[in-house]
Structures are given as structure tokens and as C-alpha cells.
Amino acid sequence: MKIAHISDLHFGSHDDAIMRALLAHITSAQVDLVIASGDVTQSAAEEEFVQCRAFFDALPVPVFVIPGNHDLPGMDLARFINPFARYKRHLTRDLNPELATSLVHIKGINTARRILPHWNWANGAVSARQRRDIAESFADSPAPWRLFVLHHPLMSPKEFPLDITVFNSAELLKTIADQNIDIVLAGHQHHAYIETRQSDVHKTLFVSASTAMSTRIRRQPQGFNILHFSDRTVRIDLLRYDNGQFTTFEAITHTKP
């Protein structure tokens, strides 16, 4: 099974040429699924969601998508009354989706909040209910691989361009460990990165993606990831946009013991 992990599309501040290159690469790579880990729009405007929907419809495979903080309206009444109305109308009503296949079991959650006890509402949070939902999703899963998707990364290494706060992240990390989740996919930072977290019995890979097509780049160019799964092995290719196309700049392979 092959999965493309894209993030931070930011329709409304995207590059059309890069969008076309991304569509072409995903199509030619013959992936089975696309996972989009949030911030599909720049300002949650109606037209941005229309553009995103058209892009998803042009992809040759299904899309598993979760919201990001940019997918909520800004400081207007819609943010406080019905913040995900446009997202639900154009993309999906499920903010915490789940997909189970015989090889990979995928669970996503929405970490974006309309308001936070912090000056920066772009940060994220996870609730106790969401943690219970994660545990229930994976409790009896027979799939060899367990994937978890959220927008805000739970790790902030020194090379990350932003300092991220995720409220209740310690509790979420415990849930991830308790459920033996294999791979955590995130975005938000516009920075591709892989970090491992090892317990006595299990290893979890934390994989972040760069922005796939936004002009709002930070320390890295646009990029995305492709994950290749077999029963016991996954290879993760990190790709970057350069000279009109996406090419692999790093790849790691992890094999289950």
C-alpha cells in the first residue's frame, strides 16, 4: 500500500504551478490514498474551500483529510458560532475521521480550536474525549500498521521554525504509546521531519510534512511525503519541489521487529 501525505495546502496563498506538479506526481506515483493533515485553506474563505474541493476531486484516489487552524474563519462571528461550517460543507462533516484497511488502520483528530487559553490561537489542543476515541479506534484493530493523523506536531526540535503548543500533549503521547501507534503524521510547521520515540516494546515514528504548495515557505521549499507499506516494513520518502518537479531528498526504512 502506498500513501501520499500532504499538508498545509493553503489554498488562497498557493502556487498554481506547484499545485499542478503535485497533482501530476501523485497521479504518476499510483498511490492508494492521500492523507491531508490540515490547513487546506489560508483563511477559510468560501472560494478557498471550492478550490480545495476541486483539487481533491482531481486526485485519482480518495482523500483522508483533517482540519488545521487556518481552516477556521478569522476574527468574525462565524469563528465563534459555527467555525467549521464551510469545511464541513465543502470537504467532510467528519472532523475526527477513521479508515481501516487490512494493512493500515488510520485515525485522525481535529486539534484546531476556535479559542485557546493562550495568546496564540494558532496552537492546538486535544480533549479527553478525543483521547478515548483514539483508544477505542485502535483497541481491537488487527491491521499490522497503526497511523495517527493530526495537524499540530507533538515534537518541536530545535530546527523547527515555530514553537508549537499542543494543550494536553503529554496525555496524548501516553495514549499513542498505550495504543502502540506506529506512525504519527502532522504538518503546521511547513517543515519536513522524522523523529522516533522508543519504548521498551514499541517504536513510534513522528513524521511532519512541509507545505505542499503554499507560497508561505519557511526554512524548506514545498514538499510532501510518500509512505510505502508492506506487512512488516515501511519506507518513507520525503520529497521537495525543485526546478518544476518533486524529487526525493531523504528516505528512511523502518521494519517491525
Side-chain angles (χ1 to χ4, degrees):
M1 185 176 187
K2 192 185 297 186
I3 296 175
H5 169 214
I6 63 177
S7 196
D8 297 81
L9 308 180
H10 288 286
F11 277 98
S13 68
H14 69 288
D15 185 305
D16 281 329
I18 300 177
M19 179 190 68
R20 290 190 292 270
L22 178 65
L23 177 61
H25 195 109
I26 290 175
T27 301
S28 65
Q30 297 183 315
V31 303
D32 302 290
L33 178 72
V34 172
I35 294 177
S37 57
D39 275 5
V40 298
T41 66
Q42 173 60 25
S43 56
E46 201 83 35
E47 178 57 27
E48 294 169 358
F49 281 115
V50 170
Q51 291 175 311
C52 182
R53 178 75 268 169
F55 174 75
F56 285 173
D57 288 344
L59 291 168
V61 295
V63 178
F64 182 101
V65 59
I66 59 164
N69 53 284
H70 277 266
D71 300 321
L72 289 85
M75 297 302 290
D76 60 42
L77 285 177
R79 183 182 184 96
F80 302 101
I81 297 173
N82 196 352
F84 293 102
R86 297 168 193 162
Y87 179 95
K88 290 178 178 179
R89 183 162 58 249
H90 292 284
L91 301 183
T92 174
R93 299 192 64 82
D94 194 350
L95 304 182
N96 299 278
E98 183 174 359
L99 176 64
T101 74
S102 59
L103 185 62
V104 179
H105 191 130
I106 308 168
K107 175 61 182 174
I109 66 166
N110 171 30
T111 54
R113 297 293 187 264
R114 73 184 79 188
I115 188 171
L116 285 170
H118 191 277
W119 68 267
N120 186 358
W121 291 357
N123 286 324
V126 59
S127 68
R129 181 177 180 177
Q130 286 176 310
R131 298 197 304 274
R132 289 194 299 270
D133 189 24
I134 295 163
E136 291 170 2
S137 294
F138 290 115
D140 300 314
S141 175
W145 293 97
R146 297 180 174 198
L147 267 67
F148 175 53
V149 186
L150 74 170
H151 178 62
H152 297 86
L154 297 174
M155 308 289 188
S156 286
K158 291 180 180 178
E159 61 265 36
F160 268 23
L162 296 174
D163 185 22
I164 302 302
T165 297
V166 180
F167 288 88
N168 301 317
S169 61
E171 293 87 346
L172 179 55
L173 286 169
K174 184 178 186 304
T175 300
I176 289 169
D178 290 344
Q179 298 307 315
N180 290 328
I181 292 173
D182 298 293
I183 299 175
V184 177
L185 301 180
H188 189 65
Q189 296 268 22
H190 299 195
H191 193 91
Y193 181 83
I194 300 175
E195 180 172 320
T196 60
R197 192 178 178 105
Q198 178 79 55
S199 71
D200 292 337
V201 295
H202 192 76
K203 177 184 285 187
T204 301
L205 305 181
F206 291 81
V207 182
S208 288
S210 182
T211 173
M213 63 176 77
S214 171
T215 58
R216 301 172 68 248
I217 59 173
R218 297 190 174 111
R219 297 177 187 171
Q220 290 183 349
Q222 294 85 356
F224 72 106
N225 308 322
I226 297 182
L227 295 83
H228 309 253
F229 290 95
S230 65
D231 286 345
R232 292 184 57 241
T233 300
V234 60
R235 190 185 84 232
I236 305 174
D237 297 340
L238 280 64
L239 295 92
R240 285 180 177 172
Y241 183 76
D242 184 41
N243 290 325
Q245 62 183 346
F246 287 94
T247 56
T248 300
F249 73 93
E250 183 179 354
I252 72 156
T253 299
H254 168 61
T255 301
K256 284 176 171 284

